[in-house]
Amino acid sequence: MVKVEICVGSHCSLVGALNILETLEELQEEYPDQLKIERVECMDRCGDIKNAPVVKVDDDLITSAQTQMVISKVMERIK
Amino acid sequence: MSKLKGIYTDIVKIRRMVFAELARLALKDAECEEFDKIPYRIIDTEEATYRSSIFKERAIVAARVRMGLGMDYETNQEHKLLSEGIRDFLKNDNQLKEPLVNVIRFACEKCPTNAHFVTNNCRKCLAHPCSIVCPVDAITIEEHAAVIDQEKCINCGKCKEACPYEAIVNYERPCAAACGVDAIESDDYDRAKINQDKCVSCGQCIIACPFGAIADKSMIFQLLKSIKRGEDVRAIIAPSFVGQFGPLVSAEKIVAALKELGMKEVREVSLGADFASLHEAELFAEDIPEKQPYLGTSCCPSWTYVADKHVPEVKDNISESSSPMIFAAQSVKENNEDSKVVFIGPCVSKKLEALSDKVKEEVDFVITFEELAAIFVAADIELTKVDAEEEIRDASYYGRAYANAGGVAEAIRQNLKEKYNINPPITKADGLADCKKTLIKAKAGVLDGHLIEGMACEGGCVGGPGTLLATKRGAKYVDKFAGESPYKFAFENEKLNKKEKKE
């Protein structure tokens, strides 16, 4: 089971977190038992908006996250 | 719908960063010189990332800053220091003027216009059905592949359908493909140019351009300055707002955050939708078919502009009812004469509606959800952590469902059924091209007796260019929120009855 925590606070939502979340949720439909998504409040890492969006894949913290980065990290662990 | 709708690209990022910068400078009452720094803050690399030159990247950001402030697009010949132009603009009336949607011409990469091309999938096959089905004999089989004579080609697409190897593609300018009213033309340099006589300001080309070369103007700065001056600013928020700011941000939190930003009051535009659906039901019951053959809804400004500019013969059959935005604004100003009203929505063309003589007294500012999200960031309001106090219950189920395609007509039909015992046939125009087609049909008399709903954006308002969510996702949130309304029908809405009683 891979656990993804995705920040959906103001900063992260503005710069693409909602789009990453959408792709993650589509992925979850394919791997319902292997992927757990937690939508979390601001993790206070985005003082500089350049660090947003913030996503955690298990213990791996990703700043300035982009969909393809997050999905490939998740897929590495699922496979 | 443009393929780019709902995808987060660097274009979206830059657009939003410009909005956030404008909001930041408005909130801190910055000097004009500070605006000169925005291109450097946003494009902060040493070398170009996106284009041929970093200076061009910054110049494009500067053009976005100007339009973000509501200023007119300037050609390269007129170019002057950003801060100088801004100082002049702010000194004068600083009001946004038409045209609303503009091509940043030097950002346009001059995509070829509509044409069919043979790709290297072509096997130069023996059958070559492409040339056989071509009605204008434009295809010859040359040494390595089929070749289309662009002078002869009429873009009928028959060759594309006939090719067994998918070797023929139809190449369209994304902006022109997204425009349902053929308003995109070319200037003398082959760059996209918007024919303002045809443009209905729906904003779909803004989303569709893969080079981010089209932008609309904004009122972010004017709105925030008004709040900073301590004016009594009240917000009305369009039905598609739910979910737009993330899955943890409830409707109530959005309202609370707007108050934290300085709004004295926040109302759902769905309340205005309840007024509008009752009014349009009344018009339909009274006038169809005796006084007019059919009724077109009035809430989508771009749809009404299609009638004005493209099928003027049908203009009088589009309802004269005010839009939900106007009704909602009036309900605010009724008790607060000195207040200013900001409409917050998914819509670009509402900015234009608000500039019209009929509406400018009612609605003072229009901003999009996307622009508001940038304002929240600039104001450092963390939406997930805002305390939501009061429940909002301004509107009925059908009023809230206005944001989804079909929702407007359904709301009016329910009123007609319940109050007048009429169940009219409904025609729904979904997307700008469909709007034009539908109005042409109406003109021909094919839709007599119909209630016609027009939505310039596919999927309805949730598909608007100012949204943050993918259209389908937004639609789900709207459905859910509508289901939570305490009233089903518009005429059950107590807030409405109170007003009617007063009259």
Side-chain angles (χ1 to χ4, degrees), chain B residues 25-304:
Chain B
L25 295 189
L27 289 169
K28 66 175 236 193
D29 288 325
E31 298 292 330
C32 289
E33 283 68 28
E34 292 229 25
F35 289 89
D36 285 331
K37 295 180 192 159
I38 296 180
Y40 293 84
R41 284 176 60 94
I42 290 177
I43 307 290
D44 63 352
T45 47
E46 178 65 22
E47 291 197 315
T49 317
Y50 309 109
R51 312 243 181 193
S52 53
S53 133
I54 193 165
F55 305 107
K56 184 171 178 179
E57 291 177 354
R58 288 186 182 135
I60 293 167
V61 171
R64 289 184 170 281
V65 168
R66 270 196 298 270
M67 273 191 275
L69 284 167
M71 295 163 68
D72 285 336
Y73 175 77
E74 286 175 1
T75 65
N76 291 338
Q77 286 116 314
E78 297 165 307
H79 203 80
K80 58 182 167 187
L81 206 61
L82 193 51
S83 53
E84 278 174 26
I86 292 172
R87 187 172 290 114
D88 291 345
F89 177 72
L90 296 181
K91 232 189 273 167
N92 297 319
D93 66 347
N94 78 42
Q95 282 305 306
L96 180 158
K97 291 181 192 67
E98 285 189 68
L100 179 61
V101 180
N102 298 270
V103 179
I104 303 170
R105 287 174 218 157
F106 63 99
C108 174
E109 293 287 335
K110 311 180 185 185
C111 303
T113 47
N114 192 11
H116 281 77
F117 288 111
V118 181
T119 66
N120 58 10
N121 265 15
C122 177
R123 306 263 301 139
K124 198 194 169 188
C125 66
L126 209 134
H128 52 76
C130 54
S131 71
I132 296 171
V133 300
C134 178
V136 291
D137 197 21
I139 302 184
T140 47
I141 310 300
E142 307 277 320
E143 194 185 343
H144 299 294
V147 172
I148 300 174
D149 181 342
Q150 296 298 338
E151 298 285 310
K152 287 187 182 169
C153 175
I154 54 166
N155 285 311
C156 68
K158 290 208 165 81
C159 56
K160 180 173 180 256
E161 283 162 36
C163 175
Y165 299 106
E166 311 256 357
I168 299 176
V169 293
N170 180 21
Y171 187 107
E172 256 192 294
R173 271 189 177 177
C175 56
C179 181
V181 291
D182 300 323
I184 307 253
E185 297 170 359
S186 296
D187 69 6
D188 295 342
Y189 302 90
D190 290 330
R191 304 173 301 194
K193 177 184 157 193
I194 297 173
N195 180 340
Q196 299 293 344
D197 293 334
K198 290 184 172 178
C199 174
V200 296
S201 299
C202 70
Q204 290 297 338
C205 58
I206 300 171
I207 304 299
C209 175
F211 284 99
I214 306 181
D216 65 334
K217 295 174 184 168
S218 135
M219 304 183 205
I220 295 176
F221 193 79
Q222 289 80 350
L223 166 69
L224 292 177
K225 283 292 183 189
S226 174
I227 295 174
K228 288 279 290 181
R229 283 195 296 270
E231 287 167 355
D232 182 331
V233 181
R234 292 163 192 260
I236 53 174
I237 189 156
S240 48
F241 78 109
V242 270
Q244 291 292 337
F245 302 89
L248 299 184
V249 185
S250 62
E252 284 77 11
K253 277 190 190 248
I254 298 169
V255 170
L258 282 167
K259 289 188 177 161
E260 198 175 318
L261 191 66
M263 312 281 173
K264 293 280 186 308
E265 181 193 351
V266 181
R267 267 184 212 202
E268 290 179 63
V269 172
S270 304
L271 171 70
D274 280 343
F275 276 110
S277 74
L278 283 169
H279 189 209
E280 296 199 323
E282 193 187 324
L283 289 174
F284 192 98
E286 283 175 2
D287 296 348
I288 316 291
E290 291 79 13
K291 292 187 196 150
Q292 66 181 66
Y294 53 86
L295 186 75
T297 57
S298 67
C299 50
C300 170
S302 290
W303 149 260
T304 64

Side-chain angles (χ1 to χ4, degrees), chain B residues 398 409-419 489 491:
Chain B
Y398 286 107
E410 197 47 45
I412 300 169
R413 177 177 32 205
Q414 291 296 333
N415 293 340
L416 280 168
K417 272 182 20 192
E418 299 290 325
K419 291 187 73 178
F489 302 106
F491 51 83

Side-chain angles (χ1 to χ4, degrees), chain B residues 244-501:
Chain B
Q244 291 292 337
F245 302 89
L248 299 184
V249 185
S250 62
E252 284 77 11
K253 277 190 190 248
I254 298 169
V255 170
L258 282 167
K259 289 188 177 161
E260 198 175 318
L261 191 66
M263 312 281 173
K264 293 280 186 308
E265 181 193 351
V266 181
R267 267 184 212 202
E268 290 179 63
V269 172
S270 304
L271 171 70
D274 280 343
F275 276 110
S277 74
L278 283 169
H279 189 209
E280 296 199 323
E282 193 187 324
L283 289 174
F284 192 98
E286 283 175 2
D287 296 348
I288 316 291
E290 291 79 13
K291 292 187 196 150
Q292 66 181 66
Y294 53 86
L295 186 75
T297 57
S298 67
C299 50
C300 170
S302 290
W303 149 260
T304 64
Y305 301 149
V306 176
D308 292 347
K309 292 188 172 183
H310 296 270
V311 200
E313 299 85 349
V314 305
K315 219 167 105 177
D316 294 338
N317 296 325
I318 304 291
S319 154
E320 276 179 12
S321 168
S322 294
S323 64
M325 170 174 86
I326 302 173
F327 278 122
Q330 283 169 343
S331 83
V332 170
K333 287 206 172 168
E334 206 174 39
N335 301 317
N336 309 283
E337 272 177 29
D338 296 330
S339 65
K340 303 234 173 197
V341 169
V342 52
F343 171 90
I344 303 163
C347 188
V348 164
S349 61
K350 283 281 175 201
K351 295 179 182 179
L352 212 55
E353 185 187 348
L355 292 183
S356 72
D357 287 339
K358 187 180 158 197
V359 188
K360 66 181 180 208
E361 300 296 314
E362 319 283 358
V363 179
D364 299 274
F365 311 102
V366 172
I367 60 165
T368 64
F369 298 138
E370 189 182 50
E371 290 163 353
L372 179 62
I375 292 174
F376 283 139
V377 165
D380 223 359
I381 294 175
E382 179 42 55
L383 289 161
T384 53
K385 292 180 178 168
V386 167
D387 288 324
E389 317 117 34
E390 51 196 311
E391 200 191 339
I392 49 169
R393 35 194 303 145
D394 290 338
S396 74
Y397 170 87
Y398 286 107
R400 284 179 174 175
Y402 248 57
N404 287 338
V408 177
E410 197 47 45
I412 300 169
R413 177 177 32 205
Q414 291 296 333
N415 293 340
L416 280 168
K417 272 182 20 192
E418 299 290 325
K419 291 187 73 178
Y420 305 94
N421 203 21
I422 300 173
N423 188 8
I426 285 178
T427 296
K428 289 176 271 188
D430 190 11
L432 196 57
D434 199 20
C435 284
K436 192 172 166 187
K437 235 188 277 168
T438 303
L439 288 175
I440 290 169
K441 268 198 222 164
K443 180 178 141 188
V446 186
L447 302 177
D448 284 359
H450 284 232
L451 172 63
I452 308 174
E453 175 194 290
M455 292 281 192
C457 295
E458 272 178 53
C461 305
V462 288
T467 55
L468 288 98
L469 277 186
T471 307
K472 274 189 195 155
R473 201 155 264 254
K476 271 189 204 154
Y477 277 106
V478 166
D479 277 339
K480 184 169 172 287
F481 188 59
E484 291 164 11
S485 167
Y487 326 104
K488 187 171 178 200
F489 302 106
F491 51 83
E492 290 173 342
N493 186 345
E494 282 166 26
K495 296 208 172 175
L496 219 71
N497 291 339
K498 254 184 235 160
K499 192 197 169 200
E500 280 180 347
K501 266 176 209 157

Side-chain angles (χ1 to χ4, degrees), chain A residues 24-39:
Chain A
L24 277 170
E25 286 177 353
E26 280 164 15
L27 195 67
Q28 195 184 34
E29 282 170 22
E30 269 175 68
Y31 303 98
D33 304 325
Q34 285 157 279
L35 176 60
K36 185 166 182 273
I37 306 170
E38 267 182 41
R39 300 151 193 85

Side-chain angles (χ1 to χ4, degrees), chain A residues 41-58:
Chain A
E41 288 182 7
C42 184
M43 296 190 242
D44 291 326
R45 302 263 177 178
C46 52
D48 182 349
I49 194 160
K50 296 214 156 73
N51 291 332
V54 182
V55 180
K56 240 169 123 181
V57 179
D58 289 332

